[in-house]
Amino acid sequence: MKVLEAAFVKGFIRMATDGWEQGWHERNGGNLSYRIKAEEIGSVQEELSCKEWQPIGTTVPDLAGEYFLVTGSGKYMRNVEIKPEDSICIVELDDKGERYRTCWGLVNGGRPTSELPSHLMNHEVKKKVTNGRYRVIYHAHTTNTIALTFVLPLEDEAFTRELWEMATECPVVFPDGIGIVPWMVPGGRDIAVATSELMKKYDVAIWAHHGMFCAGEDFDMTFGLMHTVEKSAEILVKVLSMTPNKRQTIQPDDFRNLAVDFKVTLPERFLYEKH
Ligand code: 13P
Ligand code: ZN
C-alpha cells in the first residue's frame, strides 16, 4: 500500500487540518506524532527507504525499534493536507532508542519536529502507563489556554480546578487533571523531561506562555481532549473579561456527586475550599 493511502496517515492528516482550522497553528506552530502499529508499518513497507541515523537528543529505550509518523520542523500545519510528503515523515528508532532515521516523507529535506524529544519521551511514558494503548501526542499553540498562563497561578491545582468549573463535561473528559510546566526553553531535553514527568499522571500538560501537549489513544480522543481543554479556557477568558468574581459556579460537592454518577475518580486535591 502507498503511505498516503493508509488509514492511519489519513487520520493524521485530518487531525492536522482540524487543528489548523481551530487557529492553533500559526506559521509552523505546533506538532503531531503517532506511534505506528506493527501491522500498519508492515502495510506500507514497500514505500519506505531509510536515510542516515541522527541523534534524537534524548534516550527512549522503551521505544527502541518503533516507527512514528511525525510533522516536520518548520513545516506548516496548514500545508499538511495539500503537500503531506513535504510536511510530514515516518521515522524509525534504533535498537537503543538513541537515534532516528527518516524512512518516508520530507521530500524537500528537513528534519522531524524540534519537539521530537518531548514527543518521544511522552510516548515512552504513555506506552508504559497505558500498556501500549496510547499512540498520539499533540502539541498546539492554543490561544485561550496560553492567555490563562499569564493570570492564573502556574499550579496544577489552580488550572485543573478553574477549567473543570467552566464546563460540566471537563472533569469527565480529563478526570486526572492538568499539569503545568513553568516557562522553559522549548525544543530540548530539559522541557521534555519536565513534560514527560507530568505525563506519568496527566493526559494534558500546559507549557506556560507557549501552548499545550495532549496524549491519547487515537486521533479522535487526543484532538477531542485538546478541544475540550481549550474551549473551557475560552469560557474562563470570557468570564474573567466580564468580572474577576464568579457569581455562582460548580462547587466541590457537585464534583463529588458528578464523579459518582459518571464513574470517574476526581483527586481530592483539586476539590479544595476557596476563600
Ligand atoms: P517545529 O516547527 O520544530 O515543530 O516547532 C514548532 C513548535 O511549536 C515548537 O514548540
Ligand atoms: Zn510550540
Side-chain angles (χ1 to χ4, degrees):
M1 194 192 309
K2 293 279 181 201
V3 168
L4 291 175
E5 288 165 4
F8 72 94
V9 180
K10 289 180 181 168
F12 183 101
I13 293 172
R14 178 177 169 221
M15 181 153 162
T17 303
D18 286 347
W20 157 249
E21 286 174 353
Q22 289 296 324
W24 299 340
H25 298 291
E26 78 290 341
R27 205 171 180 278
N28 63 309
N31 23 75
L32 175 61
S33 65
Y34 172 74
R35 188 165 59 83
I36 304 173
K37 296 176 185 166
E39 64 269 25
E40 290 171 331
I41 201 68
S43 72
V44 299
Q45 204 72 45
E46 62 182 70
E47 236 196 305
L48 302 184
S49 120
C50 300
K51 304 208 168 69
E52 60 289 354
W53 293 105
Q54 304 288 343
I56 294 169
T58 190
T59 314
V60 283
D62 290 344
L63 299 177
E66 294 230 42
Y67 288 81
F68 293 82
L69 183 57
V70 192
T71 49
S73 187
K75 301 295 180 179
Y76 291 25
M77 258 339 151
R78 69 186 278 259
N79 290 335
V80 168
E81 188 172 22
I82 56 164
K83 39 180 179 174
E85 60 294 317
D86 169 64
S87 307
I88 64 179
C89 58
I90 290 175
V91 297
E92 178 190 9
L93 304 196
D94 70 6
D95 58 3
K96 292 201 178 75
E98 289 174 353
R99 297 175 305 163
Y100 74 87
R101 59 180 181 177
T102 303
C103 298
W104 177 89
L106 293 177
V107 292
N108 296 309
R111 41 153 300 174
T113 174
S114 58
E115 304 296 359
L116 192 65
S118 280
H119 278 260
L120 294 180
M121 291 192 84
N122 291 341
H123 275 294
E124 189 179 45
V125 163
K126 284 302 183 190
K127 182 182 173 188
K128 194 169 186 177
V129 300
T130 72
N131 255 325
R133 240 178 345 111
Y134 276 32
R135 294 193 170 272
V136 182
I137 300 290
Y138 184 30
H139 169 57
H141 293 176
T142 42
T143 315
N144 295 282
T145 306
I146 296 168
L148 290 177
T149 66
F150 294 91
V151 298
L152 290 184
L154 295 176
E155 295 162 0
D156 304 1
E157 289 81 4
F159 268 81
T160 300
R161 175 63 175 278
E162 291 307 313
L163 293 175
W164 276 2
E165 283 184 35
M166 290 304 108
T168 298
E169 66 171 327
C170 287
V172 179
V173 175
F174 50 96
D176 299 333
I178 292 176
I180 307 296
V181 179
W183 188 87
M184 291 178 77
V185 176
R189 187 172 184 275
D190 291 352
I191 199 166
V193 169
T195 311
S196 61
E197 195 55 40
L198 293 174
M199 285 289 175
K200 289 178 182 166
K201 50 184 175 179
Y202 306 118
D203 286 346
V204 186
I206 293 172
W207 283 3
H209 323 321
H210 184 143
M212 193 176 356
F213 264 84
C214 285
E217 273 187 64
D218 57 24
F219 299 121
D220 277 352
M221 305 255 292
T222 314
F223 187 84
L225 176 58
M226 178 87 66
H227 203 188
T228 305
V229 174
E230 173 58 5
K231 175 153 187 187
S232 179
E234 182 180 351
I235 299 169
L236 185 53
V237 166
K238 288 182 200 284
V239 171
L240 293 173
S241 307
M242 288 186 277
T243 170
N245 303 306
K246 296 167 216 156
R247 180 164 176 157
Q248 54 270 323
T249 186
I250 307 171
Q251 297 295 338
D253 274 343
D254 298 330
F255 287 119
R256 293 185 184 103
N257 292 333
L258 184 81
V260 173
D261 278 22
F262 283 81
K263 299 182 176 51
V264 289
T265 304
L266 301 179
E268 277 293 319
R269 73 186 170 101
F270 299 129
L271 302 179
Y272 51 87
E273 290 302 324
K274 292 184 185 175
H275 302 291

